[in-house]
Amino acid sequence: MNECYYDKRMDFFYNRTKTDTADEWTGAQLIGVLCFGTFFCLFIFISNSLVIAAVVKNKRFHFPFYYLLANLAAADFFAGIAYVFLMFNTGPVSKTLTVNRWFLRQGLLDTSLTASLVNLLVIAVERHMSIMRMKIHSNLTKKRVTFLIISIWAIAIFMGAVPTLGWNCLCDITVCSSLAPIYSRSYLVFWSVLNLVVFFIMVVVYTRIYMYVQRKTNVLSSHTSGSISRRRTPVKLMKTVMTVLGAFVVCWTPGLVVLLLDGLNCTDCGIQNVKRWFLLLALLNSVMNPIIYSYKDDEMWATMKRMICCSSEDKSQERRSSRIPSTVLCRSTDTSGHYIEDGIIQGTICGKGDLGDKGNS
């Protein structure tokens, strides 16, 4: 019968993996990482708080997609909290942690990253269903959106707690990983492959959306006079989709590949030298989401600026902001070809936060 090591401190497991946490997290490197992390955590807290407040304050955002957007911001806000906890429990401190505290540290990170990823997937599926049915409004009711949000967090919490619930190596230290000394290597393989599969699904979904919108735009443009702005929309959509997918690839894939290599017990891959930098890179996804999903929406940006400046906009500014495509969400009876073209395009862009490109009225 294998001996279990629940009562050991983390130095026992770090010494087995020969991870010298004291040397690699001291001096200028430690200061640089902490300053870098602190700056981005502050930005995550402020920017995502503004996104949530904007959705709550502005009645134009009281639609299913924006509720999911607010939940994505909440997931990113939680990621900031998880990283702050990590900063105070890493480096030389790592070896002094109890097993339960280390599980909490990693569980917070896994929960926050899973919440963000699943939320992005739900948004992708919701946009795909709406666009393929040529509808602007989502069929989701508030009850369904609430159920989806609760489900997202239930999945995230469960995934964050899986190692604590038993999928670890505390009773079989021969299968312990190197990056996560009390995680089983099989769990790291499962975790990384699962996330890479979800990423692939998102690529397929958004590729289908883009191809469908481009095809419909070409068909409908031959029957309508379409403005130059509308004819350029497929290009703008491509930029938005590529920005979202590019950010996800850059921020997530390196870390997932490193975890997969560790799970496969690649001892000559030098993963210990890059692990903390890939963690920071993954954190950047939470930094970039408010920019990608909110800043490109003129009305969202205007709402956030009003809250920052603590002053209300004048009536003319409000009239100008009402001309952006967010108002399309309030109309559902126009069935002309002109409206369908705009609806498909703007509904798709709305799904990725590019609702109302600057200067498009």
Side-chain angles (χ1 to χ4, degrees):
M1 182 175 180
N2 292 335
E3 180 183 359
C4 296
Y5 298 91
Y6 292 100
D7 58 339
K8 297 288 186 180
R9 289 192 174 270
M10 288 306 299
D11 58 342
F12 172 79
F13 301 97
Y14 277 113
N15 290 336
R16 286 197 72 261
T17 59
K18 299 179 181 179
T19 302
D20 199 345
T21 56
D23 290 341
E24 66 175 13
W25 288 91
T26 56
Q29 280 190 334
L30 178 61
I31 295 175
V33 169
L34 291 178
C35 291
F36 191 73
T38 300
F39 172 78
F40 281 114
C41 283
L42 289 175
F43 181 83
I44 288 172
F45 292 145
I46 295 172
S47 61
N48 287 287
S49 295
L50 287 173
V51 173
I52 297 172
V55 172
V56 173
K57 181 178 181 180
N58 195 330
K59 292 183 179 180
R60 295 184 187 277
F61 300 145
H62 291 182
F63 293 96
F65 167 75
Y66 284 102
Y67 297 144
L68 292 174
L69 178 67
N71 190 53
L72 176 62
D76 291 327
F77 187 96
F78 187 83
I81 296 176
Y83 190 75
V84 169
F85 188 84
L86 172 65
M87 287 194 298
F88 285 97
N89 293 274
T90 192
V93 181
S94 296
K95 290 188 174 184
T96 67
L97 298 178
T98 62
V99 168
N100 289 334
R101 192 172 181 85
W102 195 93
F103 271 136
L104 175 62
R105 189 189 82 173
Q106 297 305 122
L108 290 174
L109 290 172
D110 294 345
T111 299
S112 63
L113 296 180
T114 302
S116 295
L117 184 59
V118 176
N119 208 113
L120 289 172
L121 179 62
V122 170
I123 291 176
V125 174
E126 188 273 339
R127 283 293 87 198
H128 183 270
M129 293 174 61
S130 298
I131 301 307
M132 293 302 170
R133 294 174 181 175
M134 299 179 65
K135 292 183 178 181
I136 304 304
H137 286 290
S138 170
N139 290 330
L140 293 175
T141 62
K142 287 186 177 181
K143 289 184 178 179
R144 290 181 179 179
V145 174
T146 301
F147 173 76
L148 283 174
I149 292 175
I150 293 175
S151 299
I152 288 170
W153 284 102
I155 293 172
I157 293 172
F158 174 76
M159 291 302 298
V162 165
T164 308
L165 296 175
W167 201 344
N168 55 60
C169 63
L170 292 176
C171 294
D172 187 5
I173 58 176
T174 60
V175 299
C176 289
S177 69
S178 174
L179 294 179
I182 56 177
Y183 276 13
S184 172
R185 288 196 299 270
S186 60
Y187 174 74
L188 289 188
V189 172
F190 163 79
W191 169 262
S192 56
V193 170
L194 177 63
N195 283 278
L196 288 172
V197 169
V198 173
F199 166 71
F200 176 76
I201 293 174
M202 291 177 61
V203 171
V204 172
V205 169
Y206 283 116
T207 300
R208 282 177 53 85
I209 290 176
Y210 171 73
M211 294 176 64
Y212 181 81
V213 171
Q214 188 178 47
R215 184 170 63 253
K216 281 294 181 180
T217 302
N218 293 336
V219 172
L220 293 175
S221 61
S222 62
H223 301 286
T224 60
S225 57
S227 65
I228 296 176
S229 171
R230 278 202 308 278
R231 289 197 298 268
R232 293 173 56 188
T233 301
V235 177
K236 296 178 181 178
L237 175 61
M238 179 57 125
K239 291 181 179 179
T240 301
V241 173
M242 293 307 296
T243 299
V244 173
L245 296 182
F248 190 82
V249 169
V250 171
C251 294
W252 284 75
T253 303
L256 292 175
V257 171
V258 166
L259 288 177
L260 180 59
L261 291 175
D262 187 30
L264 296 175
N265 199 23
C266 181
T267 57
D268 300 324
C269 298
I271 55 179
Q272 292 288 348
N273 299 326
V274 296
K275 61 178 183 180
R276 60 185 179 277
W277 304 113
F278 286 166
L279 176 62
L280 291 175
L281 190 60
L283 181 71
L284 283 179
N285 191 52
S286 297
V287 175
M288 299 174 71
N289 280 338
I291 300 173
I292 298 174
Y293 289 87
S294 303
Y295 178 73
K296 289 185 177 182
D297 184 332
D298 285 351
E299 189 163 352
M300 175 71 76
W301 179 237
T303 303
M304 293 170 65
K305 285 195 296 184
R306 286 197 296 269
M307 291 188 295
I308 294 174
C309 298
C310 298
S311 62
S312 60
E313 297 288 337
D314 56 26
K315 294 297 182 180
S316 61
Q317 176 68 23
E318 184 175 351
R319 285 196 296 271
R320 287 198 299 273
S321 66
S322 68
R323 293 164 55 195
I324 67 172
S326 290
T327 57
V328 174
L329 293 171
C330 299
R331 296 181 291 179
S332 59
T333 59
D334 191 345
T335 58
S336 66
H338 177 89
Y339 174 71
I340 292 175
E341 179 184 357
D342 283 346
I344 295 172
I345 296 169
Q346 291 163 1
T348 306
I349 296 176
C350 174
K352 296 309 296 172
D354 197 12
L355 211 162
D357 291 285
K358 306 290 186 289
N360 184 10
S361 60

